[in-house]
Amino acid sequence: MSVLVIIKRVFRMHQTDKIVPLLKELRVKSEKQPGFLSRTTYSKMSDPGEFIVINEWETADDWMNWMNQKEARDLQWQIDSLIGEKTIFEVYRPEEF
């Protein structure tokens, strides 16, 4: 059963020249990982510097395996360093009710 990973990041638009290439690299590499299904990015209408990314993975373990890889950790560290705070990750599973 697939899971959704909701990722929340907030950054100011003057940081885009440094952050966007890292986000694109992270996206391209994640899409090649076992278990990756899809990704959609949204910006908040009332604050265009606030983003959520919705990733769908076959299993939570698939996502964790990717996030535990050195290259994912290094990219995420670079992103968080530029943003100045930790990215928020939340994993959701479908309910049967």
Side-chain angles (χ1 to χ4, degrees):
M1 186 172 295
S2 68
V3 297
L4 292 181
V5 179
I6 310 297
I7 303 166
K8 182 177 177 183
R9 293 186 178 97
V10 179
F11 61 90
R12 297 302 127 218
M13 299 316 288
H14 68 277
Q15 298 171 307
T16 57
D17 60 326
K18 294 177 183 174
I19 294 174
V20 169
L22 294 170
L23 294 172
K24 286 181 178 180
E25 184 177 355
L26 189 63
R27 181 188 72 217
V28 167
K29 291 179 185 281
S30 69
E31 290 174 351
K32 296 177 182 176
Q33 300 305 307
F36 177 86
L37 297 173
S38 68
R39 179 204 54 81
T40 307
T41 301
Y42 296 90
S43 61
K44 189 173 183 179
M45 291 179 67
S46 62
D47 181 358
E50 185 173 322
F51 297 87
I52 62 166
V53 180
I54 301 173
N55 285 311
E56 185 174 13
W57 292 80
E58 288 180 16
T59 68
D61 286 341
D62 289 331
W63 179 72
M64 289 300 301
N65 288 338
W66 160 237
M67 290 307 296
N68 286 326
Q69 291 183 27
K70 183 178 180 345
E71 68 182 333
R73 288 192 324 265
D74 289 349
L75 283 167
Q76 189 58 57
W77 180 86
Q78 291 177 61
I79 292 165
D80 287 350
S81 293
L82 288 168
I83 292 172
E85 60 185 68
K86 290 190 72 99
T87 299
I88 298 169
F89 297 95
E90 298 175 332
V91 181
Y92 293 83
R93 66 173 182 257
E95 286 296 331
E96 300 287 330
F97 56 85

